[in-house]
Amino acid sequence: MIAGMSYPSASGEEVPTVDRERLQALQRITDAALASLSVEQLLQELLIRVSEVLGTHTAAILLLDETGSMLHARAAKGIEEEVEQGVKIPVGAGFAGRIAARRRAIAIEDVDHADILNPILREKGIRSLLGVPLVVEQRVLGVLHVGSLVHRVFTDVDRDLLQLAADRAAIAIEHATLYEQRRLAEVLQRRLLPTELTVTGGLELASRYLPASRESLGGDWYDAFTLGSGHVAVAIGDVVGHGVVAAAAMAQLRTALRAYAVEGHAPATVVELVNRLMTGLGPNAMTTLAYAVIDPERGTLELVTAGHPPPLLIRGDGTTFLDGVAGIPLGVSDVARYDSHTFPFEPGTMLLLYTDGLVERRSEPIDRGLERLAALAAGNDDAEILCRKLVAELVSGERLDDVALLAARLEPVPERLSGRWPADRRVLAGVRRLLRRWLEKVGASADEVYDIVVACQEACANAVEHAYRPGRHWFELDASYDQGRVRVTIRDEGRWRPPRGSHRGRGVMMMRGLMDSVDIQHTDSGTTVVLERILAPESA
Amino acid sequence: MSLLADVTEERRDDVVVAAVEGEIDASNAREIGERLRRLLSNHDTLLVVDLAATSYLDSAGVNLLFELSNELAARQQRLRLVVPAGSPLLRIFTIAGLVEVVPTHATRDGALAQTA
């Protein structure tokens, strides 16, 4: 039997009978000082003030979880065990559960004879209870209740006062929760997107991510990484939805894509495997994707898309949307098939991947947005400048959707090749590919390319191995071609170490065997190796 | 797994054939060496390293093959290489003197034919 009374919610109504002092005390609950508190601190402070104003011994706040079916004790005063023990009350059951379900205040005069789920309330010796719902814009956020250790009849004034406190508190809780979610989400997103796009092999990369104005975060993401084959993978995607759920799906998607790609699967297979994984993650994992693998040496681009706007190719003044490749979004059907299409991607060409936030505007067909994008992109030959321009021209300050873009441009092979790299074994493969492209351009035959690349790698590997002293070390490579003669200079800052062991010195021997001339100069500031080879006339 | 190269294995009685696909340089030679060593048991008599699909190999790889040859010889096991005719690897092996130490065959069948 319920020994209590129910009141209709007094939310939003005037409270004429409350004395001025109590009302003022209550109004402090939402004063500016509370705005800077975290959710936990805010709730704690709120309970202290409510207890003071109403003269109660206990106070507690329970908030609904993401499912909306369970109340979790989040803050308590006088009955701290509620929070410590992680009390959960199903909506509709018990004292707090009924308040949430009926969206109205409930008072219980005598706890001993009431339907109470939470044993802590009884164990603490609470005799009388009063609780009200926390409501914002018709949505129930949770329940605020106060208790007395001595028998007490809560009056209409008490009830109205508590509801007034609850109404104001609900707004503050909503704001603080949103703020915390946003902050968490932003940190998460920053950690999920690559901080630095460093891909060698003659590919210039630039990217932007701009979250939607009013959302905590979106599901847009991009990635770029090298595959062992010397190919470069670039990807962009848009996970449906916003907030932490979308961010979590995005993190799983990005990791899965990298893992499958690095395993060496073909692009279409990578997308099919990712799709199967996303389908298994449940209904919230729908996402669009554009995935491209660039082969800088062959000058090709292999593309797979899944429900994503068509990537744009920019070359000189011309632009081409790579459409006609479309598959359905990921996470819709686990038997969906995806096909890849290969396009020429010559040096000087730029690929632009973007999400729909860049081209979509309200009350306008998407074709207009695509036209505008193509017109702005035409004639651009710098990835960083293109990104800056597109954001300035197409992205407004008040964004409804988040925007991500990634531009990749295959740099034309220069007349004279020169560059500087960290003295790290892992950069050798990238340097090799760059050198290969350059040698092919100056007309070296396949065998000559191989020999010269091996000889140069010996010098580069020496530079890497000399850099044993602490700190970051670099080496430089400069390659020029003049009248049939290839000349490559490799310079490092390391001090020469005399060859040790049976293998040391084999590198030098091989350089001499492969090149027409090898000159090695050691000074205090470093080592310089100059390699020369005269190309055979028929290939020059 | 190395991103630059992959090793696939095939066994015939006491013979192990290991094909290296991809590139071997200073960044992954040690790892490729470990993978090749793990393929061999004490009962095996011959390791054939098939380099037909090896698109790049420099002194890091040459050093590895010299080491492997010495280790196997010490354990009464043999090493043979498969390098197709015309492969640039053959020039590298010739310059380094590897061909004088390790028997090199143009085809896998050739490397296996003389096992009997």
Side-chain angles (χ1 to χ4, degrees):
Chain A
M1 193 194 117
I2 301 166
M5 344 161 233
S6 294
Y7 306 99
S9 169
S11 175
E13 288 169 20
E14 284 299 309
V15 191
T17 50
V18 177
D19 65 80
R20 186 170 304 221
E21 209 173 294
R22 288 173 92 192
L23 190 60
Q24 279 173 349
L26 196 56
Q27 276 166 341
R28 287 203 299 271
I29 286 171
T30 49
D31 67 18
L34 289 181
S36 62
L37 299 176
S38 73
V39 176
E40 301 306 325
Q41 290 169 316
L42 172 84
L43 298 183
Q44 208 57 50
E45 193 60 33
L46 205 64
L47 293 180
I48 292 168
R49 295 188 188 191
V50 164
S51 304
E52 277 170 13
V53 171
L54 287 168
T56 57
H57 301 101
T58 69
I61 286 177
L62 298 95
L63 296 180
L64 275 181
D65 66 7
E66 313 80 55
T67 66
S69 62
M70 200 67 90
L71 288 161
H72 292 241
R74 286 291 300 273
K77 183 191 166 296
I79 40 172
E80 282 75 9
E81 296 88 341
E82 273 217 10
V83 179
E84 286 159 14
Q85 295 178 13
V87 166
K88 291 181 204 169
I89 308 281
V91 171
F95 169 61
R98 287 202 311 278
I99 296 169
R102 297 181 193 172
R103 298 167 166 249
R104 51 165 43 185
I106 295 178
I108 297 176
E109 260 188 60
D110 188 352
V111 166
D112 283 346
H113 298 99
D115 172 22
I116 304 269
L117 268 191
N118 180 3
I120 295 170
L121 298 177
R122 235 181 233 121
E123 285 160 15
K124 290 300 275 190
I126 295 172
R127 296 291 306 280
S128 304
L129 281 165
L130 172 67
V132 295
L134 293 160
V135 181
V136 166
E137 291 168 1
Q138 316 288 327
R139 279 180 300 115
V140 176
L141 298 185
V143 170
L144 166 63
H145 68 71
V146 291
S148 172
L149 297 176
V150 295
H151 180 265
R152 172 171 172 177
V153 178
F154 287 106
T155 64
D156 287 3
V157 173
D158 292 333
R159 177 205 62 195
D160 290 348
L161 208 55
L162 188 63
Q163 187 63 61
L164 190 66
D167 289 348
R168 297 192 162 199
I171 294 169
I173 290 167
E174 172 92 335
H175 284 170
T177 309
L178 284 180
Y179 174 74
E180 275 204 349
Q181 261 197 10
R182 186 182 180 107
R183 225 170 35 107
L184 172 74
E186 281 174 1
V187 170
L188 191 64
Q189 187 124 27
R190 269 202 302 278
R191 296 300 299 256
L192 290 176
L193 294 176
T195 48
E196 211 184 322
L197 295 172
T198 46
V199 172
T200 54
L203 208 66
E204 180 203 5
L205 292 169
S207 64
R208 293 288 188 281
Y209 173 76
L210 300 113
S213 310
R214 289 170 191 283
E215 287 295 340
S216 50
L217 92 168
D220 284 12
W221 63 278
Y222 58 82
D223 202 1
F225 51 94
T226 43
L227 297 170
S229 47
H231 301 176
V232 178
V234 289
I236 199 160
D238 182 354
V239 178
V240 171
H242 296 274
V244 179
V245 175
M250 180 246 278
Q252 286 167 310
L253 170 62
R254 185 170 158 244
T255 309
L257 185 84
R258 270 201 185 221
Y260 290 131
V262 161
E263 277 286 310
H265 297 292
T269 311
V270 168
V271 174
E272 283 178 5
L273 289 169
V274 170
N275 174 56
R276 224 168 292 160
L277 185 100
M278 297 305 282
T279 318
L281 289 180
N284 293 323
M286 196 170 97
T287 175
T288 72
L289 171 75
Y291 174 59
V293 174
I294 296 166
D295 182 341
E297 281 182 73
R298 274 179 56 222
T300 58
L301 163 78
E302 195 173 348
L303 176 71
V304 185
T305 65
H308 200 84
L312 182 67
L313 269 193
I314 305 144
R315 182 152 202 221
D317 287 335
T319 57
T320 317
F321 282 105
L322 304 177
D323 41 20
V325 194
I328 63 169
L330 304 182
V332 175
S333 159
D334 62 356
V335 293
R337 299 302 304 263
Y338 295 90
D339 293 318
S340 76
H341 288 71
T342 301
F343 301 91
F345 193 63
E346 295 106 0
T349 315
M350 181 142 56
L351 172 72
L352 177 72
L353 303 178
Y354 56 91
T355 55
D356 55 7
L358 186 70
V359 288
E360 275 183 357
R361 282 191 195 168
R362 262 186 189 174
S363 70
E364 172 183 284
I366 191 168
D367 287 356
R368 284 288 314 279
L370 294 178
E371 281 167 25
R372 207 166 30 230
L373 171 64
L376 281 167
N380 270 282
D381 61 359
D382 185 299
E384 190 59 42
I385 290 171
L386 176 67
C387 285
R388 199 181 308 152
K389 183 176 178 182
L390 293 178
V391 168
E393 299 283 334
L394 294 179
V395 182
S396 70
E398 249 327 272
R399 294 178 292 282
L400 293 169
D401 198 359
D402 47 346
V403 176
L405 52 154
L406 173 68
R409 180 172 180 267
L410 189 56
E411 290 165 359
V413 181
E415 289 300 313
R416 185 180 182 130
L417 181 67
S418 87
R420 188 164 182 263
W421 291 270
D424 183 322
R425 284 188 182 132
R426 287 167 297 185
V427 308
L428 294 174
V431 174
R432 206 151 65 219
R433 290 179 223 301
L434 206 56
L435 193 60
R436 235 179 247 154
R437 282 179 60 208
W438 180 83
L439 286 165
E440 278 162 11
K441 190 193 162 185
V442 301
S445 70
D447 283 354
E448 286 166 341
V449 168
Y450 196 94
D451 291 359
I452 297 170
V453 167
V454 169
C456 291
Q457 289 271 293
E458 299 302 340
C460 294
N462 274 329
V464 167
E465 276 163 33
H466 292 157
Y468 277 133
R469 284 178 303 171
R472 199 142 162 82
H473 293 272
W474 301 80
F475 70 92
E476 291 167 7
L477 182 144
D478 179 275
S480 59
Y481 173 79
D482 184 38
Q483 296 183 355
R485 184 188 294 262
V486 169
R487 182 185 167 101
V488 186
T489 306
I490 294 117
R491 204 174 283 116
D492 72 67
E493 306 157 338
R495 196 168 288 211
W496 179 261
R497 287 153 57 113
R500 282 182 309 177
S502 57
H503 298 316
R504 298 300 300 260
R506 189 170 285 133
V508 175
M509 183 184 81
M510 286 179 57
M511 281 192 275
R512 293 198 194 284
L514 294 165
M515 303 301 278
D516 292 318
S517 90
V518 177
D519 179 49
I520 304 175
Q521 300 286 339
H522 310 297
T523 67
D524 283 348
S525 60
T527 300
T528 302
V529 179
V530 181
L531 303 167
E532 285 189 348
R533 168 119 175 209
I534 296 157
L535 302 186
E538 59 265 36
S539 67
Chain B
M1 192 195 81
S2 167
L3 298 178
L4 283 176
D6 199 12
V7 178
T8 50
E9 151 197 27
E10 208 176 287
R11 296 189 148 269
R12 292 184 195 177
D13 303 326
D14 55 353
V15 176
V16 178
V17 182
V20 182
E21 191 184 340
E23 303 177 291
I24 307 176
D25 69 5
S27 73
N28 69 345
R30 187 186 295 254
E31 185 196 333
I32 298 287
E34 288 312 309
R35 295 194 63 178
L36 293 174
R37 287 179 181 100
R38 274 204 299 271
L39 296 179
L40 272 185
S41 77
N42 284 335
H43 307 294
D44 295 320
T45 58
L46 173 65
L47 171 65
V48 175
V49 179
D50 186 340
L51 299 168
T54 307
S55 54
Y56 180 82
L57 184 148
D58 57 22
S59 70
V62 169
N63 292 343
L64 162 67
L65 293 170
F66 269 116
E67 279 170 15
L68 213 52
S69 165
N70 287 341
E71 285 170 27
L72 265 60
R75 300 196 324 230
Q76 316 293 315
Q77 294 171 315
R78 288 169 298 160
L79 173 68
R80 283 180 193 163
L81 304 178
V82 177
V83 184
S87 163
L89 264 64
L90 218 47
R91 283 199 308 286
I92 304 296
F93 290 170
T94 307
I95 291 167
L98 186 71
V99 286
E100 290 154 37
V101 180
V102 183
T104 303
H105 303 263
T107 63
R108 191 183 282 204
D109 285 346
L112 293 168
Q114 298 162 35
T115 53

